[in-house]
Amino acid sequence: MLELLFAEIAKEVELTAADKALVQAAITPRKLRKRQYLMQHGEHFGEIAFVNKGMLRACLKGEKGAEHVMQFAPEGTWIPDSFNLSEDDTALYDIDALENAEVLLIDREVFQQLLQRVPALEKYFRQVMQKRLNALHLRVINYLTHFAEDKYKMFVETYPEIVQRVPQHMIASYLGIKPETLSRNRKKMATRKKEEPEL
Amino acid sequence: MLELLFAEIAKEVELTAADKALVQAAITPRKLRKRQYLMQHGEHFGEIAFVNKGMLRACLKGEKGAEHVMQFAPEGTWIPDSFNLSEDDTALYDIDALENAEVLLIDREVFQQLLQRVPALEKYFRQVMQKRLNALHLRVINYLTHFAEDKYKMFVETYPEIVQRVPQHMIASYLGIKPETLSRNRKKMATRKKEEPEL
């Protein structure tokens, strides 16, 4: 069950058999059906989840009940990527499954204990967070500097697999643009591709 | 010279005298005059900077030459907060000093060596990055879900000291709203304060 997690960790640090046993003991697996919630906004939820199968989404409600996608989390990633492990563990988001999924949960306090017992994991999580920081920076840059068409193009280039797996209106919500605008941009991009001479 | 840095690290982890000597050896201090660049977009810049005195800003050029503020970094913080320490160390931003400043620089490769020699720092940087991830999340939430007035209000509440120290047009740029809109919102907020009965 933990093959994928251990493979991800092994990219950064080496764990001993004893370390792996401690990781295993810290984890609670859970299966989710498509559309099932892992947590809902306002709930007490002091855990982080490693996506072992399927895809999850973090979403928040804006003004006038609008839904905003904060994160798509395919297998091999952590959600929420804010690693919001503060004392106040009231969930900011809704997190639900976009496909039938399996997650490995670690409780906030257990997480802190695990890091003390397996210091190598500090490095692994520092690396994971560094990558997420870079990704979030690019996202802020995308908001600040680009027009709708470029936003979509950048998303397609950065997350080609996610584009195939989630509905377009969710990508529009993630990018903070209107679904109609996204649809227009997709058509434009498709037309341009056709017009470009093959090399 | 390293009192502030060691005080920040001591909030998270304990360093031995030998550890501190290794940190000191890894650091290159530099003074910057107000308006001086630490780095410019496109330059080779493989370092991170701890702000020891003053305030720095990371900025990027958008379409039509518009400037977008990515980060304000007062003393006690790291810049860029993306910790962009990838192999490709071409700077994405301009970083300049908003006040006369002093920074402590660590080179990317030296940084990796330092983490190997002083593993306690993995924990310190993991914590720093976790806090920045939370801050960046709130920023994305702010873009996605709020109107201009709330954006400014949230900024004031989150960074009360920065509001006092940087010009309004830079805050507008950071928030991705027009300076005129910001100015209108400040007036509204001031009027409301006056109208609220004192309790």
Side-chain angles (χ1 to χ4, degrees):
Chain A
M1 167 162 300
L2 303 190
E3 295 79 12
L4 181 60
L5 177 59
F6 287 146
E8 285 297 318
I9 295 175
K11 288 180 190 171
E12 308 293 351
V13 292
E14 217 172 303
L15 295 187
T16 64
D19 292 339
K20 287 183 181 179
L22 287 167
V23 172
Q24 184 152 20
I27 275 171
T28 311
R30 190 184 299 172
K31 286 190 177 173
L32 296 167
R33 285 227 174 127
K34 187 174 173 173
R35 293 204 180 84
Q36 193 181 331
Y37 281 111
L38 176 63
M39 67 179 205
Q40 286 191 269
H41 171 253
E43 272 179 15
H44 173 90
F45 187 82
E47 281 157 312
I48 48 172
F50 179 81
V51 183
N52 203 32
K53 272 187 205 157
M55 170 133 53
L56 271 70
R57 166 185 70 158
C59 216
L60 83 168
K61 296 274 191 305
E63 282 156 13
K64 300 180 185 171
E67 272 200 343
H68 302 281
V69 177
M70 283 298 294
Q71 184 191 356
F72 296 113
E75 54 283 294
T77 62
W78 292 87
I79 189 166
D81 65 0
S82 60
F83 288 90
N84 191 6
L85 297 160
S86 62
E87 292 292 313
D88 171 23
D89 51 12
T90 307
L92 280 171
Y93 320 108
D94 292 332
I95 296 183
D96 63 358
L98 295 178
E99 303 168 357
N100 288 338
E102 189 179 275
V103 293
L104 310 176
L105 298 170
I106 305 185
D107 171 82
R108 171 165 56 83
E109 283 177 31
V110 174
F111 179 72
Q112 300 300 347
Q113 290 161 12
L114 185 64
L115 289 173
Q116 280 185 351
R117 287 187 193 156
V118 188
L121 288 178
E122 288 282 4
K123 181 174 177 184
Y124 165 68
F125 280 104
R126 202 252 311 151
Q127 301 266 23
V128 169
M129 289 179 190
Q130 189 164 320
K131 281 178 197 158
R132 293 312 304 163
L133 270 176
N134 275 290
L136 271 170
H137 253 245
L138 290 178
R139 188 165 177 186
V140 172
I141 292 174
N142 209 1
Y143 286 126
L144 286 176
T145 63
H146 293 90
F147 295 121
E149 186 177 349
D150 297 320
K151 282 185 191 177
Y152 180 65
K153 204 175 148 208
M154 198 189 247
F155 185 87
V156 173
E157 284 167 7
T158 316
Y159 303 109
E161 316 84 22
I162 291 179
V163 173
Q164 308 298 324
R165 286 166 65 181
V166 305
Q168 294 297 317
H169 72 88
M170 284 186 195
I171 297 176
S173 158
Y174 180 95
L175 294 172
I177 62 182
K178 288 183 189 150
E180 310 86 81
T181 314
L182 183 77
S183 158
R184 213 161 42 233
N185 290 334
R186 288 183 66 210
K187 276 183 204 150
K188 259 196 222 168
M189 278 170 68
T191 319
R192 262 190 221 157
K193 249 192 191 147
K194 270 190 216 150
E195 283 170 3
E196 274 168 18
E198 285 188 45
L199 295 175
Chain B
M1 166 162 301
L2 303 189
E3 295 80 13
L4 180 60
L5 176 59
F6 287 146
E8 286 296 318
I9 294 174
K11 289 180 189 170
E12 307 294 350
V13 292
E14 217 173 303
L15 294 187
T16 65
D19 291 340
K20 287 184 180 178
L22 287 168
V23 172
Q24 183 152 19
I27 274 171
T28 311
R30 190 183 299 172
K31 287 190 176 174
L32 295 168
R33 285 226 173 127
K34 186 173 173 175
R35 294 204 180 84
Q36 194 180 331
Y37 281 111
L38 175 64
M39 68 178 204
Q40 286 189 270
H41 171 253
E43 273 180 13
H44 173 90
F45 186 82
E47 283 157 311
I48 48 172
F50 179 82
V51 183
N52 203 31
K53 272 186 205 158
M55 171 133 51
L56 271 70
R57 165 185 70 159
C59 216
L60 83 168
K61 297 273 190 307
E63 280 157 16
K64 299 179 187 172
E67 273 200 341
H68 302 281
V69 177
M70 283 298 295
Q71 184 192 356
F72 296 113
E75 55 284 293
T77 62
W78 291 87
I79 189 166
D81 65 0
S82 59
F83 288 89
N84 190 4
L85 296 160
S86 61
E87 291 293 312
D88 170 24
D89 51 10
T90 308
L92 280 171
Y93 319 110
D94 292 332
I95 296 184
D96 62 357
L98 295 178
E99 305 168 357
N100 288 339
E102 189 179 274
V103 293
L104 309 176
L105 298 170
I106 306 184
D107 172 82
R108 172 165 57 84
E109 283 178 30
V110 175
F111 179 73
Q112 300 300 347
Q113 289 161 12
L114 184 64
L115 289 173
Q116 280 186 350
R117 288 187 193 156
V118 189
L121 288 178
E122 289 281 4
K123 181 175 178 185
Y124 164 68
F125 280 104
R126 202 253 309 151
Q127 301 266 23
V128 169
M129 288 180 192
Q130 190 164 319
K131 283 178 195 157
R132 293 312 306 164
L133 271 175
N134 275 290
L136 272 169
H137 254 246
L138 290 178
R139 188 167 177 185
V140 172
I141 291 175
N142 209 359
Y143 286 126
L144 286 176
T145 64
H146 294 91
F147 295 121
E149 186 176 348
D150 297 319
K151 282 185 192 179
Y152 179 65
K153 202 174 149 210
M154 198 190 248
F155 185 87
V156 173
E157 285 166 7
T158 316
Y159 303 109
E161 315 84 22
I162 291 178
V163 173
Q164 308 298 325
R165 285 166 65 181
V166 304
Q168 295 297 317
H169 71 89
M170 283 186 197
I171 297 177
S173 158
Y174 180 93
L175 295 172
I177 61 182
K178 286 184 192 149
E180 310 87 82
T181 313
L182 183 77
S183 158
R184 212 160 47 232
N185 290 334
R186 289 183 64 211
K187 276 183 203 147
K188 259 196 222 168
M189 277 171 68
T191 318
R192 264 191 219 156
K193 250 193 192 149
K194 270 189 215 149
E195 283 170 2
E196 276 168 18
E198 285 189 45
L199 296 175

